[in-house]
Structure formats: C-alpha cells, structure tokens
Amino acid sequence: MKTTYRLIGLMAIAGLTLAACAAPVAPPAQPAQPAQPAQPAATEAPAAPAEISLRWRTRPDNKEEADVYASISDEVAQKLGIKLTYEPGGSETASYQDVLRTELAAGTAPDVFWIPGTDIADFVQRGLLLDLRPYASATEGYSDSNYYPEPMFHLTYNPATGKTGEVLWGLPRDVSTFVLYLNLDLINEAGAPDPRELAKEGKWDWAAFKEVAEKVNALGGDIKGYGMNAWWGPFGAFMNAAGGGFFNAERTACSLNSKESLEGLAFARSLYDAGVAVPYGEDSEPPFRAGKVGMFQNGRWATPGISTVTFNWDVVELPKGPSGHMGNWLFWGAYVVNKNTKHPEAAWKVVNALTQPDIQAKVAARGTNIPSRVGEAVFAEFLKILPEKNNQAFLNGLADKPTAEGPLWTGSWPDFDKAMGAKVSDVLTGKLSVEDFGKTICDEAGKAFNK
Amino acid sequence: MVWHAGLCVLLMAGALVSVAGASALDLLTIALAVAQALLALGSGAAAALILQRNHLGRTLSLVINYVLFLACLIGLAHVLGLFMGLDDLADYMARGVPFLMGALFIVGYFVAATELRERPVSAARRTLGRVLMAIGAIGFALTAGVVPALASIPGKYASSGLLPPALTAGAVVLGYMLWSMWRGESARAMGAKNIHSERLNGWLFLSPNLLGFTLFFAGPLLFSLYVSFTNWDSFNKRDWVGLDNYRRVFNLTVQPLETPDQPANQAIDVQVYDELFRVNLLGQGYLIGAEDKRFWISLRNTLVFGLLAVPLSVVPALLLATLLNSRLPGMRIYRTLYFIPSVAAVVGVALIWQWMYNSQVGWINYFITSAVNFINSVFGTNIKDPQIRWLADSDYALLSVVIMSAWQWLGFNTVLFLAGLQTIPRELYEAATVDGANPRQQFFNVTLPMLTPTTLYVLITTTIQALQVFDQVFIVSNGTGGPGTSTLTMTLNLYQNGFQSFRQGYASALAWVLFVVIFAFTLFQFRRQRRASGAYDM
C-alpha cells in the first residue's frame, strides 16, 4: 500500500509539474474552448494568425462591473475572431498601477490595458506605449473628434515635437466628473434650501453651498454638512473654481501658490475650521451612507454604491466659485497598447472595439461610468441610464469648462502629487496655515518638474 | 577528463562571446561572463586533477556537472513556461479542490481504519478505496486543467525552436556525466575515501537550500546593491551613478537664520533642499534642510513607531504569558484567542481597525463618547468628548497604527514567551519559595533571567518587524503615508520611490540604508543583552 501511495504521490507531483508547463484550460462555463499554449507575456508570438491571443486589463469598481467587462471581452473576441482574455486588476493590497508597472518591467503585462489620465505622460516618456496613429488612420470611421477633446489633447500629444494630433497613445475608456451627492432627508430636516432648486435658479454658489452645509451641520450630534475624500480631486476642484489650479496654463510650472489657488484652498479650509465637514483624511462615504452627511462630493463611480442607501438621495452639480465656474474635473482614463505586444493591429482593434458606443453603453449601464464619446445621441442615451437620478448634473459638470485630469509632460506627477498632497493635508487638518502653504509649496512641488 | 577539457573550452568561449556580443557592458553581463569563466577554470582544473587521479578532481567534476545540470533543467522549465504555468495553474486549482479533498478524505479514512483498529483492511474495501481515489484523482486532473495542460506540452516544446531540445540534450549528457562520476567505481578509481563521499552527501543534501539561497536571496540582494549605484527605472538602461543615490539620501544643509521666521527660500537653496526643521541653539536659530526630506521624515516615523510598538507588543505579551502559564481552567481557550490576531491577514485587520478608528461612525469613538457621557451624567462633571480623529489627525495617525500593530503582534510574542516560561524548571521556583522569595521576587530573579534567550529573540524579531512596517500603513493611509507625512515609514517611502515614481536605483539605496539601520539596532540589542546577561552565551 505504501508503494502505491508513493507511486500516486510521485505521479501527482510529476503531473502537476508538467501541467504547470502549459496554459490553464478554459473555465467550465466555456467547455468548448480548447486548452491553449501558455501566453504569459505580451512578447510571445502565436504560430498562426488564427491563434491570435491577447490579454487586456482594466480596473472594475466591483464584481458586477468585472462581470460586465468579462462579457464584453467575449463579445469583442467573437467579433474580431481572436482569443481575448480579460483580467480584472486592482485590489485592497495591490494597487492597480503599481502592479501594472511591475509587470511592464518584468515583461508580463497584458497587451491592452487601462491607465488613468495622470499616468499617460509617464508611460509614454518611458517608451511603454505603442503609437496607434498608423492603425487609427487606416480605420474607417475613426476620428479623434468622436471623443471628449480634453483627454484627446493628451492622448494625441507628441512630447518630441510638442504638438497634438500627430500620435495616438490610446482611446478614453470613459469620463467622469464630480457632483455633490445629497441626503435630501437631512437637508429637508435642517430646513435648508434645496441645492437642486438653487442650481436651476443659478444661485448655487459657494455661499449657498456653505449655508446648506452649516444648516445641516446644525442638526447636531455626529451629523456633518459636507464630506470629501483625501486626494487631489476634491480640493483641486475648489482651487479650479476660484480660478486657480495646480499648474500654469502650459502645465510647465506649479501654480499652487497663486492668489486664486490659495483662495480656493482657504475656502475648503474654512469648511473644516467651521466643523461642518467630515474630518479631512477620513473616508466620507461610510458616514454619508450611514445617513450622517448632508452633501458628499464624489464622482460617477460612487453612484452604484450610493444607490443602495435607504434615505432619499439625489445629486447636484458643484457650486460655482468666484471664477463663475464649478471648477470641475474631467476625469478620464484610457485603453492603451503595450509597446511589446506582438499583435499591434489586433490590439488596436480591441481598443477601438472597447470604445464603440454599444460597448460603452453596456459599461455605463452599470451606473459607474460616463461614456467617453460625445454627441447628442450619446448624451440622450446616458440620461436614460439607471439609477435615473439627476444624470444631467454630471453632464452639466462636463459642460462647464472642466479641467482635464492630466499628465505632466514636463515633470513627474507622482512627485508633484506627493508634495502637494502632504501639504494640503496639513492645511486642511489645521496644522499649516494657507499663508505658510503658499510661501513654500511651489518650492517643494516645483521640484517635480523636469524630472 | 576529455569531457571536462571540452567543457572548459566551451564555457570559456561562452564567456568571451557574452562579453564580445554585448551591446553595452553592464554588471550583469560581466557577472555572467565571470561565472562562465569560473566554471571553465573549474572544469579545466577538474580535467587536470582527474588526470592525476586526485579525488578533488572528482569533487570539482561533480559540482560543475551538478550546477550545469540544474541550469539546463531550470532553463528548460523556463522556456516551456513552467514558472508562468504554475501561476496559471494555481488560478484553476480551486476548481479541483473538492475532488482532491474527497480523495484525501477517502485515503485518510482507509489509512486511519487500518492503523486504529489494528486489523487488516478487507480486500473489497481496499479496492473500493483505490477506485474512489482514482475517481478523485481523475476528477481533480480534469477540473484543475491538468490533462489538457499536459496535452499542450508537446506543442509548446515543438514550437519553441532549438532551445528546448538543446537544453534537454544538455541535461541528459550532464546527468549522465554526473551519474558516472558519482558511482562507487569512479570514487574508488579517483582514490576517494569514505569521508569524502560523506562530505559530498552532506553538501548534496544542503544543495537545494544553498542554491535557493543563492538564487532567490543572495542573488537579488547583490543585484539590489548593484542597482543602488545606478539610476535604473525598471525599464531603460541602467547608468552607473556611483554613490549619488546615497549622497542624495543623506544630503543635508544647516544654515543660520537671521530671524526665527526667515523664509526658507532666503536661507537655503530651495532648488535643491526642502526645509526639514528649525532649531534654536544658544540663541541662534538654524534651519536644517534636506535634499530628500521624505527620507528623514520616514526615518523619524519609523524610529518612533519602533520605540512605541516594540514595548507595547513585548511587555504586555510577557505579562499575558505569565498569566496564561497558570493552570487555571480554560487557559487553552484564552491562549488560542490571544493568538488569533497573529494569524489573521494584516489587510483584513487593518481594514477592520480603519473602520473602528473612524471618528464619526467608528466603535472606538463611540465607546469614548459613551464613557464621557456616562461619567458626566453620574458625577455631574463637564468633561468634553475629545472626538479623536484617529487616522485623520497627524498627531494621532502613527499612534493609531502603533496600537493596531501592537495588538496584532501581541499574540505571537505571548506564545513565544509562553514556550520560554514552560522550559523553566519548577525546581527553581520551589527553591526560591523555600528561600522565602515572594512572587514578585520570583518573577524578577527567576523568571526574567531564565527568559533571557526568549526575550532577546522576541525583542529582535519584533524590532525588525517594526522597522519594516509596511502593510498596516499602506492600508490605513491608502498608500500615501498621510495625513501629511505622519505615517510615512521607510519601507513605504522606498515602495513609493521604486514602484510609483520608477526610481528603482534610489529605492534600492533606501533599502540598503534601512538594512543598515536594522542591522545597527539588532547589533545593539545583541551587545546590550550580552552585557546584561553573562549567563547567556551569544
């Protein structure tokens, strides 16, 4: 018996070891698909065109969205006649971008992947992305103008010549923008004016916003009038709304110390000083979902989660600042192609297919994203999407001169963000005055340029 | 002899081709060429010694053939995608687990039935067991994707060019040469004695660990040292920058201030330095600037973390272990309960604590508020609810992580102390009791001295753990080290440099600085402990 066990054990080990040499089989749901040779890296070539096998990755916000992407993957694969494997990326412990960068360094990154807009310049300048312009030019019906112009500016920017339109680094997956998620029950209970009505009347500005926040906050206990999360987007919107911003117009220098930027930051600080905001640095979504925050500033990606709350909720566009604009962001990310892919044309076709209106509509139907294509028909379709809350508020945000989430072509965004984020955190938690922030911030954050 | 002479020529040619064929000579190419040259020289020496019938020639031959044999096997596995395949297979393994567990259960049952009842298992049952095992194994192979994966190997082998056959041939030839030299006849012919064979056997048993250590520990370690002298960004060419990364890490400037609030840009070159802090010495203010401010902040945070977290997870663990060492009913349950945090995933623990720390909806502030309200209502006091912003206030954020980490490490340290306590002979306590020592005196004069080795081990491992803290701060600060830079630790800082800012060279330099810091602390603890305890031989 012992010999038998040893034999079985040895066979099992040998079998598993040998099996590890090959690729995994298809999932049970697709028994018809045969096992394919391993395609670990984007650098391996298939034996014949019929065996084109590509991997692609994007970051879903939840399991349901990952399932949508997986089904879209099958649809695109069938349409293009290739094998296409979808890999959801990002988890609590593995940052999407960090893992992707590591895989790019190791040569095991997927052929097609999504990256946020802030990373485009870094990836391009390190030679990690394929220029898709030759393939796009040969594609019938393709036009840069099908998409929002702000992301396309960066996606067609050639750092070698400083001109746009010459190259194409990818196509935007979707766009998003900030709104204020409203707890209507709290606002009514506080007797505060309805922000949606104020917005319709053109009276939705910083003063009105602060008034609503203060009235809700006056309900007492652990109720807060307003909440935002601790990253560059929320406080940046205040700076933008005041007419300032992170960079100068050419995005070649720091402008965090401009009068307007400081005004925006001072307004944000005043919300914390007055105690009407959820403490900066704490996730504002849990207390909002627990019904303890009147207004929560976040993007479209928060909609599916918030749609499950039990109180009456809606959204309103951001209030207008001293500049007369909301100062909103146009958040975006793009599908790009690994420069080392062995199937560049097929990879382009995948990117193009993933950004077609029908595919974008399926993703947008989850409620997380706004299609990156422009046009009345697209907008009309978006307005029908569940959860049938005030979707127009998102489109209003996108229409009011938003600032595109953008890469730094002449500097390092991660370095800029680190220097800025730490200092702004000190300001909004009361450790540093706005004045002192203004005196030193561009000395520190400015070092990120020309790195 | 002929084999090694030929191998010598082949390896030397390989070394020359490596150097001549390289477009740019970097350290890796040189290292590879040096390794080949060393093997060539070893092979030449082996040939010469074998000719003289010297047993050292046999030893050299065995070592070289063994290393090259393994290199061929690993190379073949790599070419066939074994390592990536293992990763893929792991993804599909879960599907086969029910079959595997079923088979194991059945095997376990039959083995247990045989051993426990001490009587032979009937032939029918044995046959049934085998059939069930076979079904389980086949089910596992099918569901985990083993069978189709095996079937695809020949295709992979055929489509990978000449390399797989070449590596297979190399492995076969080297394996044969290895075997022929290993045989007793060869040993006797070379004049090898029993002691030589025994030594070789010992090294052979050690070789998996030695090779693993060299390939997966020492190799990457040396590589990171090399990278720390370059500006490597993970993707492009590595330029040798010498000590520049280290210079940047430690580059500080100290400038006297004309007035205490003189702006930094008037005192230091802000194109290079950032203000680190100001200090007043004998009435003269100074501004200390650093080229990499975040390094110094992370160093300070790491040391503060260590200074707080180590005592908090060691001293209570000792006290707890003393309590758990008593023979009261239910102690085993308590021992298990206290150990649970140690086996829980850091990520899960950090996320739960993040919720508990939430200043608005978290349990900790809820209890504080309840306690304050209770005291105020009972005693008529007017104590203000502190409403601590645990993770949002830079004054509390690091302390919050310290509490969380100490809580998690406490259980493991307790178990170590408990093991140490149980090795102390009861006679010592009995003698102390006879001598009139009270429990406190017994603890300080018997328990603590006898626990010295355990204490040293616990202190060192906990200190190392504390100085390398990463997961907890990564989770609670979303990888930023915030609020501000209050939870930026050294490992988080090097991670940000290496994996977010593409500065692998600089991150490697930071890693070596961290190594030196940890080494210095460990050495200090060793020496201090040795001085304190003459009984314990280091």
Side-chain angles (χ1 to χ4, degrees):
Chain A
M1 198 68 176
K2 266 186 179 176
T3 313
T4 311
Y5 288 137
R6 280 179 188 163
L7 194 62
I8 291 170
L10 279 173
M11 283 171 65
I13 291 167
L16 286 172
T17 309
L18 285 170
C21 295
V25 289
Q30 301 149 317
Q33 286 187 330
Q36 296 292 324
Q39 183 83 19
T43 50
E44 285 190 26
E51 293 175 4
I52 286 178
S53 177
L54 296 177
R55 295 159 54 217
W56 72 287
R57 184 182 300 172
T58 188
R59 184 176 63 188
D61 284 287
N62 47 51
K63 169 77 170 61
E64 290 74 22
E65 199 179 335
D67 291 343
V68 171
Y69 282 123
S71 74
I72 284 169
S73 185
D74 294 341
E75 190 181 325
V76 171
Q78 198 173 15
K79 196 171 159 186
L80 300 179
I82 60 171
K83 182 174 185 253
L84 192 57
T85 308
Y86 170 62
E87 301 171 355
S91 68
E92 295 288 0
T93 48
S95 156
Y96 178 88
Q97 284 109 303
D98 299 351
V99 171
L100 182 64
R101 285 179 178 125
T102 310
E103 290 185 349
L104 283 164
T108 58
D111 302 88
V112 173
F113 48 85
W114 171 89
I115 52 174
T118 45
D119 282 357
I120 289 286
D122 215 4
F123 278 57
V124 168
Q125 286 168 339
R126 290 175 199 280
L128 305 177
L129 305 185
L130 185 73
D131 176 12
L132 300 170
R133 181 58 76 192
Y135 307 102
S137 301
T139 302
E140 193 181 339
Y142 172 79
S143 169
D144 290 352
S145 61
N146 289 338
Y147 303 89
Y148 279 92
E150 292 88 350
M152 292 314 288
F153 172 86
H154 294 290
L155 284 170
T156 61
Y157 182 80
N158 184 351
T161 61
K163 292 178 182 170
T164 58
E166 295 179 342
V167 292
L168 183 65
W169 302 118
L171 293 178
R173 182 189 74 174
D174 50 49
V175 295
S176 194
T177 194
F178 276 142
V179 290
L180 287 169
Y181 288 87
L182 305 172
N183 182 329
L184 296 173
D185 292 348
L186 278 183
I187 291 169
N188 288 337
E189 189 184 340
D194 188 333
R196 297 170 300 177
E197 296 304 319
L198 291 171
K200 276 182 198 163
E201 294 163 14
K203 295 176 183 170
W204 186 230
D205 55 16
W206 278 6
F209 160 71
K210 199 168 182 182
E211 184 194 342
V212 174
E214 284 170 346
K215 283 195 169 167
V216 172
N217 205 64
L219 289 171
D222 49 7
I223 303 292
K224 292 288 177 189
Y226 165 76
M228 69 178 185
N229 285 340
W231 57 289
W232 57 265
F235 65 76
F238 286 111
M239 292 181 177
N240 294 341
F246 296 165
F247 318 117
N248 63 359
E250 296 76 31
R251 303 172 83 92
T252 53
C254 164
S255 75
L256 288 165
N257 59 357
S258 71
K259 182 173 159 285
E260 293 81 9
S261 298
L262 296 178
E263 187 184 356
L265 189 60
F267 179 75
R269 163 80 180 252
S270 72
L271 298 171
Y272 292 94
D273 286 347
V276 301
V278 175
Y280 189 77
E282 293 206 347
D283 188 351
S284 294
E285 192 164 339
F288 179 78
R289 289 172 69 166
K292 293 178 182 296
V293 178
M295 295 179 285
F296 171 46
Q297 182 175 333
N298 213 339
R300 178 70 183 180
W301 54 85
T303 302
I306 286 174
S307 63
T308 60
V309 297
T310 52
F311 53 81
N312 287 312
W313 69 280
D314 201 346
V315 293
V316 68
E317 60 221 49
L318 293 187
K320 290 189 171 160
S323 70
H325 296 285
M326 303 172 200
N328 221 322
W329 292 103
L330 190 152
F331 298 109
W332 61 280
Y335 287 123
V336 294
V337 173
N338 186 340
K339 193 166 188 180
N340 290 325
T341 183
K342 286 294 177 189
H343 309 292
E345 191 167 358
W348 153 253
K349 285 179 181 171
V350 170
V351 169
N352 194 35
L354 288 171
T355 53
Q356 290 303 305
D358 56 330
I359 298 289
Q360 291 204 330
K362 282 180 185 166
V363 181
R366 280 290 316 145
T368 310
N369 301 312
I370 302 170
S372 61
R373 286 181 168 254
V374 289
E376 289 305 318
V378 177
F379 297 154
E381 281 301 312
F382 174 70
L383 291 174
K384 293 180 199 165
I385 289 170
L386 291 172
E388 290 180 348
K389 289 290 172 185
N390 186 5
N391 283 343
Q392 186 61 47
F394 291 95
L395 296 184
N396 291 349
L398 291 170
D400 185 36
K401 290 182 72 176
T403 304
E405 165 187 10
L408 274 183
W409 291 99
T410 56
S412 163
W413 166 257
D415 287 352
F416 187 88
D417 186 29
K418 266 184 273 182
M420 172 180 68
K423 285 277 183 185
V424 169
S425 171
D426 284 344
V427 172
L428 298 182
T429 53
K431 307 290 177 197
L432 182 71
S433 70
V434 175
E435 190 188 10
D436 287 343
F437 171 86
K439 282 179 188 167
T440 57
I441 185 60
C442 280
D443 290 337
E444 293 190 21
K447 290 191 183 74
F449 289 92
N450 297 317
K451 272 195 174 177
Chain B
M1 194 275 288
V2 176
W3 162 251
H4 278 289
L7 200 60
C8 172
V9 174
L10 206 65
L11 286 166
M12 195 54 87
L16 292 172
V17 168
S18 297
V19 175
S23 55
L25 269 186
D26 62 8
L27 198 69
L28 281 182
T29 313
I30 295 168
L32 194 66
V34 168
Q36 283 177 304
L38 283 174
L39 283 169
L41 288 175
S43 198
L49 290 166
I50 289 170
L51 194 63
Q52 295 165 17
R53 301 273 167 173
N54 188 324
H55 73 89
L56 281 176
R58 175 177 173 258
T59 307
L60 260 179
S61 167
L62 285 171
V63 170
I64 290 164
N65 285 337
Y66 181 61
V67 168
L68 291 175
F69 171 72
L70 286 179
C72 283
L73 280 187
I74 292 169
L76 186 63
H78 175 69
V79 171
L80 292 178
L82 172 78
F83 304 113
M84 296 303 296
L86 275 174
D87 193 38
D88 288 337
L89 196 61
D91 293 341
Y92 292 86
M93 187 72 86
R95 291 207 310 257
V97 165
F99 286 95
L100 192 65
M101 295 304 288
L104 283 176
F105 174 76
I106 292 157
V107 172
Y109 172 75
F110 277 92
V111 169
T114 309
E115 287 183 353
L116 289 176
R117 296 178 189 176
E118 291 179 352
R119 63 183 182 199
V121 177
S122 69
R125 191 195 289 173
R126 193 175 296 148
T127 308
L128 179 66
R130 284 176 182 166
V131 170
L132 290 173
M133 277 168 60
I135 292 170
I138 292 167
F140 172 76
L142 287 173
T143 49
V146 174
V147 174
L150 283 171
S152 70
I153 290 175
K156 180 82 180 168
Y157 195 94
S159 65
S160 302
L162 286 174
L163 200 53
L167 288 169
T168 310
V172 170
V173 172
L174 285 159
Y176 173 75
M177 298 311 292
L178 193 61
W179 172 77
S180 65
M181 194 53 93
W182 181 261
R183 290 179 310 158
E185 293 88 334
S186 304
R188 282 190 291 278
M190 298 297 298
K193 295 175 184 169
N194 274 347
I195 191 167
H196 300 135
S197 297
E198 282 173 12
R199 273 184 199 154
L200 277 174
N201 283 340
W203 284 107
L204 184 65
F205 277 110
L206 276 176
S207 65
N209 190 282
L210 277 179
L211 287 169
F213 175 83
T214 309
L215 282 175
F216 300 115
F217 188 81
L221 205 66
L222 289 174
F223 181 68
S224 81
L225 181 64
Y226 159 65
V227 168
S228 75
F229 297 114
T230 69
N231 61 357
W232 191 41
D233 68 351
S234 301
F235 308 106
N236 299 316
K237 193 170 160 281
R238 289 181 286 267
D239 295 322
W240 182 265
V241 296
L243 290 169
D244 193 57
N245 286 329
Y246 292 95
R247 180 203 60 74
R248 196 176 150 224
V249 170
F250 294 111
N251 190 11
L252 290 170
T253 184
V254 181
Q255 295 296 329
L257 293 168
E258 290 168 11
T259 58
D261 56 353
Q262 183 184 0
N265 57 13
Q266 291 174 13
I268 56 173
D269 180 2
V270 290
Q271 296 297 316
V272 178
Y273 301 101
D274 288 325
E275 179 180 341
L276 196 57
F277 62 91
R278 295 174 188 228
V279 66
N280 193 307
L281 290 176
L282 304 172
Q284 171 63 53
Y286 292 93
L287 187 153
I288 290 85
E291 185 168 349
D292 182 6
K293 183 169 103 168
R294 292 174 73 85
F295 163 73
W296 294 99
I297 291 170
S298 69
L299 178 64
R300 181 200 64 195
N301 289 345
T302 305
L303 294 179
V304 170
F305 180 87
L307 282 172
L308 294 174
V310 173
L312 271 178
S313 58
V314 171
V315 177
L318 177 59
L319 300 176
L320 197 61
T322 311
L323 283 176
L324 294 175
N325 197 33
S326 59
R327 294 179 181 177
L328 295 172
M331 272 304 152
R332 285 187 181 179
I333 294 170
Y334 281 108
R335 285 175 194 171
T336 311
L337 285 177
Y338 282 112
F339 193 63
I340 285 174
S342 307
V343 292
V346 178
V347 178
V349 167
L351 286 171
I352 290 168
W353 275 88
Q354 199 175 18
W355 271 81
M356 295 205 311
Y357 276 134
N358 189 295
S359 69
Q360 266 194 292
V361 292
W363 281 101
I364 294 175
N365 272 7
Y366 173 77
F367 284 123
I368 292 174
T369 305
S370 302
V372 168
N373 291 342
F374 175 76
I375 291 167
N376 285 343
S377 61
V378 171
F379 300 104
T381 52
N382 194 23
I383 300 169
K384 196 183 168 196
D385 184 358
Q387 279 292 317
I388 300 169
R389 294 175 293 155
W390 293 98
L391 295 175
D393 188 329
S394 53
D395 292 340
Y396 291 97
L398 191 64
L399 179 67
S400 305
V401 183
V402 165
I403 294 169
M404 179 173 78
S405 304
W407 174 81
Q408 195 174 21
W409 298 341
L410 181 74
F412 187 69
N413 289 345
T414 303
V415 169
L416 291 175
F417 277 124
L418 199 56
L421 284 171
Q422 290 177 350
T423 61
I424 300 174
R426 304 299 308 168
E427 292 80 8
L428 292 178
Y429 291 102
E430 287 164 12
T433 308
V434 170
D435 289 345
N438 60 29
R440 191 184 65 82
Q441 287 170 323
Q442 285 182 18
F443 180 77
F444 283 104
N445 297 310
V446 177
T447 307
L448 275 186
M450 292 304 290
L451 269 182
T452 303
T454 310
T455 309
L456 178 65
Y457 178 76
V458 169
L459 271 176
I460 287 174
T461 51
T462 311
T463 304
I464 292 172
Q465 210 171 4
L467 296 178
Q468 291 180 335
V469 64
F470 175 77
D471 310 49
Q472 292 92 336
V473 287
F474 186 82
I475 301 293
V476 299
S477 73
N478 288 323
T480 63
T485 50
S486 59
T487 58
L488 182 73
T489 59
M490 288 182 78
T491 41
L492 183 60
N493 187 36
L494 80 86
Y495 176 83
Q496 287 179 343
N497 273 285
F499 294 95
Q500 292 176 346
S501 299
F502 293 102
R503 282 195 287 264
Q504 289 288 348
Y506 190 67
S508 298
L510 290 172
W512 278 90
V513 171
L514 176 63
F515 166 77
V516 171
V517 170
I518 292 175
F519 185 78
F521 266 89
T522 309
L523 198 66
F524 170 75
Q525 281 179 331
F526 262 114
R527 287 181 180 274
R528 195 169 162 275
Q529 199 72 26
R530 184 158 49 179
R531 214 173 291 141
S533 170
Y536 181 58
D537 186 13
M538 298 299 293

